[in-house]
Amino acid sequence: VNTFTCTCAPGYTGTLCDVEIDECTPNPCQHGGVCTDGVATYTCACADAYTGAQCQEDINDCSPNPCVNGACTDGINTFTCACDAGFSGARCDVNIPDCTPGACGAHGTCVDGINAFTCDCHAGYTGTACDVNIDECDPNPCQNGGACTDGSNAFTCVCAPGYSGDTCATDIDNCTPNP
């Protein structure tokens, strides 16, 4: 007689169930998370870079991938990008210029690509660096035995006697005026 036993509600202890249990002792929050005690519960305020009920999960800084042209490596509240060939920058979003002065010589315009370039050759020139003059005399456009002289995107014909015109195609009428 004069004895009793209390069955405490969750979160309480003590002979009279008047002591609230501190669920934050020891601190269940990982990675520097701050614990806030409740009745039969707790919450964790996680430090930057962590998530989860106990701040146990590293937030994946690579999801979604911040690297525009490259592979992402996750860190703790950070990431690094390994850029694809031809790109640079913290997020691999800068195309490295591939055109260098003189890449296409004096007869072409350099067109930048990705880790490469091409040359847009001026009329009359060809080759990867626009350094080959196209021979407009091959095949010979001069007719009737005319001699061809190559120029830059042009040619001239020296016509055989009795012929005239840009390609020596006109037969000179030796009877005009009547001799």
Side-chain angles (χ1 to χ4, degrees):
V1 182
N2 279 348
T3 340
F4 64 92
T5 304
C6 292
T7 304
C8 298
Y12 290 94
T13 190
T15 308
L16 300 175
C17 298
D18 57 348
V19 177
E20 195 247 324
I21 298 171
D22 185 357
E23 284 81 14
C24 289
T25 303
N27 186 357
C29 306
Q30 300 175 29
H31 305 289
V34 176
C35 186
T36 302
D37 184 37
V39 177
T41 189
Y42 65 91
T43 56
C44 291
C46 300
D48 288 346
Y50 293 98
T51 188
Q54 284 88 31
C55 305
Q56 74 277 13
E57 298 173 30
D58 173 28
I59 293 173
N60 185 354
D61 299 298
C62 290
S63 182
N65 187 356
C67 306
V68 178
N69 297 289
C72 185
T73 301
D74 185 38
I76 305 298
N77 205 26
T78 189
F79 64 89
T80 54
C81 293
C83 299
D84 295 340
F87 291 96
S88 67
R91 295 181 185 265
C92 303
D93 55 352
V94 177
N95 180 1
I96 298 170
D98 300 299
C99 290
T100 57
C104 296
H107 306 291
T109 302
C110 189
V111 179
D112 185 40
I114 297 172
N115 204 33
F117 69 90
T118 56
C119 292
D120 185 12
C121 298
H122 300 163
Y125 290 88
T126 189
T128 56
C130 301
D131 54 353
V132 177
N133 181 10
I134 296 172
D135 186 358
E136 284 82 14
C137 290
D138 186 20
N140 187 354
C142 304
Q143 300 176 31
N144 300 309
C148 185
T149 302
D150 183 39
S152 179
N153 196 34
F155 65 90
T156 55
C157 290
V158 177
C159 299
Y163 296 95
S164 69
D166 291 343
T167 60
C168 305
T170 304
D171 185 0
I172 298 173
D173 186 353
N174 291 329
C175 294
T176 303
N178 193 352

